[in-house]
Amino acid sequence: MLMRARESKLLQASQLADLGVLLQRHVLAPARGGQSQASAEILMGLLRSSALTVTALARVSDLSQPACTRALDRLEADGKIKRLAKGRTTLVRLTAKGTRQATSIQRKRLSMAVDFIDLLSPAERKCFGSVLDKWLACEANQSPDLN
């Protein structure tokens, strides 16, 4: 019985990993609007916050600090972000052009995600919503460690 439960859990874990790949391939990547993944994540992070430090942006975008800095250099050259010196700290903000790009990415992501959710019955959506709520609460509380 324990072996069956473990095998079932491993199968579900594998399916969850496959779902991540599926979402990356069919929702996140096509919605980037020509931006690299790093740039798209930075734009989305800044859309959720008015201004962030480079360190905070690297963390929310799941990038190393050097990779974040390189992406910020490209975004700044494209006129999508602005760096603001605040004492010893540099804050990064979206420009109007960057806000338009980030909003477009967000709209496309949501539209494509809705297409996936539409495949579920109302009962499946309710169950899926409960699972997502639980996972997101864990992420917000950093418990358990989902890394």
Side-chain angles (χ1 to χ4, degrees):
M1 183 72 165
L2 272 176
M3 189 57 131
R4 243 193 186 149
R6 179 165 168 67
E7 288 173 2
S8 176
K9 192 183 283 187
L10 288 173
L11 175 61
Q12 289 172 334
S14 177
Q15 290 171 322
L16 181 60
D18 290 345
L19 176 62
V21 171
L22 185 73
L23 290 173
Q24 177 62 37
R25 186 178 298 146
H26 296 287
V27 175
L28 300 178
R32 291 196 308 244
Q35 296 294 317
S36 69
Q37 181 175 343
S39 293
E41 294 308 319
I42 288 170
L43 290 170
M44 295 306 299
L46 288 170
L47 187 63
R48 290 186 291 271
S49 305
S50 60
L52 292 171
T53 64
V54 176
T55 302
L57 264 175
R59 188 173 46 253
V60 301
S61 303
D62 200 25
L63 298 169
S64 67
Q65 192 130 359
C68 185
T69 299
R70 285 190 301 274
L72 287 172
D73 290 344
R74 288 188 301 270
L75 288 167
E76 188 172 37
D78 289 343
K80 294 177 181 168
I81 60 112
K82 184 174 182 171
R83 291 179 171 133
L84 307 162
K86 294 284 185 179
R88 296 182 63 169
T89 305
T90 300
L91 292 176
V92 181
R93 291 191 170 170
L94 289 172
T95 62
K97 183 177 180 180
T99 300
R100 285 191 301 275
Q101 177 79 52
T103 302
S104 173
I105 291 169
Q106 183 181 45
R107 221 178 291 119
K108 288 176 188 172
R109 282 182 176 184
L110 290 174
S111 174
M112 292 172 170
V114 165
D115 290 345
F116 275 92
I117 292 169
D118 283 344
L119 297 172
L120 303 175
S121 71
E124 290 168 330
R125 280 188 209 136
K126 185 175 180 181
C127 182
F128 186 60
S130 296
V131 170
L132 288 176
D133 288 343
K134 187 172 188 174
W135 285 339
L136 293 172
C138 287
E139 176 68 15
N141 296 326
Q142 295 295 309
S143 169
D145 188 4
L146 296 177
N147 292 327

